[in-house]
Amino acid sequence: MQETRRRVLDALADGPVTGPELAERLDVSRAAVWKHVEALREAGFEVEGTDDGYVLRSIPEYGGPAIEYRLEADFDVEFHDGLGSTNARARELAAEGRDDTVVVAAEQTGGRGRLDREWASPRGGVWLSVVCRPAVPPAQVPIYTLAAAVAVTRAAREAGVPAEIKWPNDVLVRVGDEERKLCGILTEMEGEADRVSWVVVGIGVNLNVDESDLPAAANATSVRAYREHAGHEGDTDIPRRLFVQRVLEEFDDLRADPESVLPAWREYASTLGRRVRIGTPGGEVVGEAVDVAFPGTLVVETDEGMRRVTAGDCEHLRPVE
Ligand code: BT5
């Protein structure tokens, strides 16, 4: 079903195509073609029947098929208008054995951060979770969090926002002498000692969101709010479909080439070269963040020597220069 829908969309993208041509190309009946076209119309695609065949006039701004349309990455998309948490739904799909599937919600009512913290997820933002089943040991899973941060940073920069990464999982932007959070990432997994069964990478981006809809204490901002401050002319909203596609395409490329993740992460890092305080389960680590090592370990020079930190909450101490 998913595969056929994708092929119908590909055929429509190539220009006018008649019902019989589509049926032949997809090796399905003409009635099946008609059903797919009707389903796309119901999903908001404007498909016109002309003398030359079906012509695609417009694509909906958001939705599962809209994200799959011309997506250059091999993911199925499950879209929800409203959902508790995309990570919770993605975990269910992962437990059912799904792979390379993305759960997207227009709005979340029970979005979660790390340690079960609340994650505000109003309409206008990008809330998604990727389910994948890489053949790697659990210890390597942090590289997927870093890859997601790089992917979001690239998409945000393409949208004109000079985003940076704070170790391990925040994408920030500098506003005056403050760093404000644009995106958080929550990676969950299940597996045995030598191999993961599944990984869920949850990505939340404040895209077309008002700052007043974000928690006041969180020092958060959005792509739209930044573009407004920066004086962008015209529409400051970024089409959600295109933004999600860019994040998924970058993430797909990075996971296919894990060696490329750390150099890109270092290039975008705001944490390296800064004094940091990291709250870890084993106590506080304070010092200068000097490097990041595979699969996402922060190397901190402290008064007692080098420390390698694999997880924790990081605070930047030195003011932004
Ligand atoms: C994170 O946690 O940054 C991970 C957030 C992951 C959210 C995505 S959305 C799609 C998927 N589905 C989910 O249910 N979750 C994932 P952490 O580092 O623990 O940061 C949480 C803290 O950020 C909260 O305690 C607030 O202070 C702050 N916060 C809450 N909502 C925010 C928002 N929209 N923007 C910026 N900061 C926020």
Side-chain angles (χ1 to χ4, degrees):
M1 172 63 191
Q2 306 276 7
E3 180 55 27
T4 313
R5 180 169 78 190
R6 172 72 74 97
R7 287 167 62 205
V8 172
L9 287 171
D10 285 348
L12 289 173
D14 292 346
V17 56
T18 65
E21 276 166 7
L22 257 179
E24 200 186 312
R25 202 161 142 178
L26 273 59
D27 199 18
V28 296
S29 68
R30 286 178 66 177
V33 164
W34 187 81
K35 260 197 189 156
H36 278 292
V37 170
E38 275 311 296
L40 287 173
R41 284 178 172 146
E42 261 165 48
F45 285 77
E46 232 182 291
V47 185
E48 194 186 325
T50 72
D51 291 346
D52 296 331
Y54 291 117
V55 175
L56 185 55
R57 295 283 182 219
S58 73
I59 305 144
E61 196 262 329
Y62 215 27
I67 294 167
E68 286 178 358
Y69 177 71
R70 286 196 157 154
L71 173 65
E72 286 177 24
D74 209 2
F75 292 111
D76 288 333
V77 179
E78 181 183 291
F79 185 85
H80 299 262
D81 190 54
L83 192 66
S85 153
T86 56
N87 262 44
R89 175 63 187 147
R91 285 199 310 269
E92 282 174 13
L93 293 176
E96 287 167 13
R98 288 282 282 275
D99 192 5
D100 290 349
T101 299
V102 184
V103 180
V104 182
E107 181 180 23
Q108 293 186 122
T109 48
R112 284 286 168 265
R114 294 176 300 159
L115 307 173
D116 216 29
R117 295 171 187 140
E118 277 182 32
W119 182 260
S121 317
R123 210 161 271 278
V126 159
W127 323 116
L128 66 84
S129 302
V130 180
V131 182
C132 52
R133 316 182 87 85
V136 299
Q140 288 185 18
V141 165
I143 199 73
Y144 295 94
T145 303
L146 272 67
V150 168
V152 170
T153 301
R154 287 186 171 153
R157 288 183 176 207
E158 285 170 17
V161 177
E164 295 180 309
I165 306 172
K166 183 175 92 161
W167 184 87
N169 70 334
D170 290 351
V171 178
L172 312 164
V173 64
R174 297 181 190 200
V175 179
D177 56 5
E178 276 185 338
E179 293 184 303
R180 300 218 184 143
K181 185 158 165 172
L182 282 175
C183 158
I185 296 158
L186 175 66
T187 302
E188 300 180 275
M189 62 150 186
E190 191 172 274
E192 298 183 4
D194 54 349
R195 171 124 184 215
V196 303
S197 161
W198 51 257
V199 178
V200 165
V201 184
I203 302 176
V205 188
N206 304 325
L207 194 71
N208 305 323
V209 173
D210 283 338
E211 275 180 356
S212 57
D213 289 334
L214 297 171
N219 205 15
T221 191
S222 71
V223 168
R224 178 168 77 193
Y226 184 89
R227 285 163 57 85
E228 280 166 2
H229 292 315
H232 279 268
E233 300 283 318
D235 191 0
T236 44
D237 277 6
I238 298 291
R240 290 174 294 177
R241 171 175 80 90
L242 298 180
F243 191 88
V244 168
Q245 288 181 335
R246 290 299 300 125
V247 170
L248 294 178
E249 287 164 0
E250 288 292 338
F251 181 77
D252 194 41
D253 287 349
L254 289 157
R255 70 173 176 160
D257 181 13
E259 306 248 309
S260 67
V261 175
L262 287 190
W265 194 94
R266 287 191 189 100
E267 185 189 332
Y268 303 140
S270 146
T271 302
L272 298 183
R274 303 276 289 273
R275 265 189 82 69
V276 294
R277 180 191 298 132
I278 301 168
T280 78
E284 248 182 26
V285 176
V286 179
E288 183 184 337
V290 289
D291 197 13
V292 66
F294 191 85
T297 308
L298 193 66
V299 184
V300 184
E301 192 178 335
T302 72
D303 289 344
E304 292 86 45
M306 288 293 183
R307 289 281 302 273
R308 297 167 72 86
V309 188
T310 54
D313 276 310
C314 171
E315 192 187 336
H316 290 159
L317 295 177
R318 192 188 296 159
V320 179
E321 272 132 29

